[in-house]
Amino acid sequence: MRAHSLSLLRTATRCSRARPQLLSAFAFPAHRALRLSSTSAPSNPPTPPPTPPAPKEGERKWSTPLAQFLGQAITTTGPISVAAYMRQCLTSELGGYYTRAPTAGEDQFGSKGDFVTSPEISQVFGELIGIWLYAEWLAQGRREKVQIIEVGPGRGTLMDDVLRTLASFKRMTRSIEAIYLVEASPHLQKQQALRLAGTDALEKSDVGWKARCKYLPDCDIQWCEDIRFVPKEETSTPFILAHEFFDALPIHVFQNVAQSSVPKSSTIMTPTGPITPKHGPTAPGNQWHELVVSPTNPYAATTVKPGEERPDFELTVSKSPTPHSLYLPKMSSRYKNLEKTPDAIIEISPESLSYVSDFAARIGGSEGAASRPPTPGSSAPTAKPISTQDAPFVKKEASGAALILDYGTSDTIPANTLRGIRHHKAVSPFVAPGLVDLSADVDFLALAEAALDASDGVEVHGPVDQSFFLATMGIKERAERLLKNAKDEETRKRLEVGWKRLVDRGPNGMGKLYKALAILPYKEGKKVRRPVGFGGDLLG
């Protein structure tokens, strides 16, 4: 199974070609504006954005304080990668989208915010995820020392439905040692605590903060800012959830440029200073160049449609290869096969590969992959984490599972997918930094390849369409049961619309655009077991 999976992964090389209007394609990908809009307009008017300090005479006016900081930094150090831009816009302490403290009445999620997610649409979604975890626990022999881990838990809605469902299966809940939520935002941590523990008064713990779970009175919920703080133990059985998490991780974007060369004397500017390539001059040929972010020209004539904001930044192609463009496209044969394709565009997320590699190591151990080079790209946390990749993680018996649900490509390399969304509308990702949610398509084949490379003790199933996953998990049957018990017509209509929206297979339907991928233990010599939701049956 593993060998067949690797063979399929490494021959998948299809990629979108560059569009003639490259920069406009990145600015307004309206046809792919996921982080789905709600079906109704916000009931409250949008909260006005914070206003940056008034510019002095002759100075440029920026849309947000974060835009001003980024603009000044880029002016000093030079253009930055899309990954660096996304990271600042989403998690900067100076007003990142997820780390800033919202004003009164403001929220990123739900009908009053910028987008809605599947758990917000219907409770059935989270209930079925809980059933999936229980089914997998049964199939693996009712193991002890279970960890429930969620990365990017939002407001805690998904975990709330999952834990409420699992609370009905007492034998499994007695095996759960701890619940870990990987969340960097103090504001969201408090929202999650209120929902899951009934209080936002968190206690200090070894990994961050903790509170007693209201559904499992004998179990703590632990919050930490990075998954590397979550204890990694040889005998633990981790069940990891990642719902709409990978789409928000930073990406690097590269374009194949014909007749490009790197002269011996060339100097490559980076945010930490100039570097000079160690190799000699290269003959002109196809080279990957990075698309980088720089401020727009405030004096250039730009057409802005009524109601739209003028972008603070824009994308340009780097004049010469960058350190990232010289290295990252060499990581997989999927990218190497496009080296001679002029104007091809690829998106690579090293942080996504780092996270999924961590998932795989926790499930199957990493001792078999110790001789392979580590996946680059993720920055170190502010303190030394409990679990590191300094040494191989030995696990005598693979156990646990990871379930990833997100939107992205199942058989192509993403290209031109960077998007922004605000107040349920697609906007340029380069307007109002810190006030606009940024995301990009998930490369599921890259995740699968990284997981298999990171551990010899795992196998990958999927990706499958969300509609297939939820249908085989019994979404229709569960929804019909809820409909029978609905107390009024309004509740009945909400339930009916909600579950059907999750499995809609229209061109822009969630059931088709969203995918599910599972990472499971690999047992050499044993018959391959497909998990429930991916074509398998309930076992145990």
Side-chain angles (χ1 to χ4, degrees), residues 5 20 49 58 98 180 328 345 359 439 494 498:
S5 298
Y98 288 108
Y180 294 94
L328 290 179
I345 292 178
F359 295 177
S439 63
R494 176 174 53 81

Side-chain angles (χ1 to χ4, degrees), residues 431-491:
V431 302
L435 300 179
V436 172
D437 180 46
L438 303 183
S439 63
D441 279 7
V442 176
D443 187 346
F444 280 96
L445 283 182
L447 296 185
E449 186 178 50
L452 294 172
D453 282 343
S455 174
D456 292 335
V458 300
E459 61 188 32
V460 176
H461 295 266
V464 298
D465 289 347
Q466 178 172 285
S467 61
F468 176 85
F469 174 79
L470 293 178
T472 55
M473 288 299 300
I475 188 172
K476 181 179 179 181
E477 292 77 10
R478 174 56 178 161
E480 288 176 346
R481 185 173 179 180
L482 290 173
L483 286 168
K484 286 182 180 180
N485 297 324
K487 296 181 179 180
D488 52 61
E489 187 60 31
E490 182 181 349
T491 302

Side-chain angles (χ1 to χ4, degrees), residues 51-72:
T51 304
K56 298 178 182 179
E57 186 176 353
E59 287 185 344
R60 175 170 182 162
K61 182 179 180 181
W62 300 93
S63 61
T64 66
L66 180 57
Q68 184 176 30
F69 167 79
L70 289 172
Q72 293 172 348

Side-chain angles (χ1 to χ4, degrees), residues 160-179:
D160 186 63
D161 290 331
V162 167
L163 294 178
R164 176 173 49 80
T165 302
L166 292 181
S168 300
F169 305 106
K170 301 302 181 184
R171 189 169 179 182
M172 180 180 180
T173 57
R174 285 195 296 268
S175 72
I176 298 175
E177 285 193 331
I179 302 159

Side-chain angles (χ1 to χ4, degrees), residues 110 199 204 230 258 272 292 305 340 382 388 399 415 427 481 497 537:
T199 178
K204 190 70 176 175
V230 177
T272 56
V292 292
K305 297 179 181 178
K340 305 301 181 183
T382 55
T388 70
S399 65
V427 299
R481 185 173 179 180
V497 170
D537 296 321

Side-chain angles (χ1 to χ4, degrees), residues 393-411:
F393 174 55
V394 179
K395 195 168 184 178
K396 291 184 180 179
E397 184 178 3
S399 65
L403 181 62
I404 299 169
L405 296 113
D406 223 313
Y407 51 84
T409 59
S410 58
D411 56 1

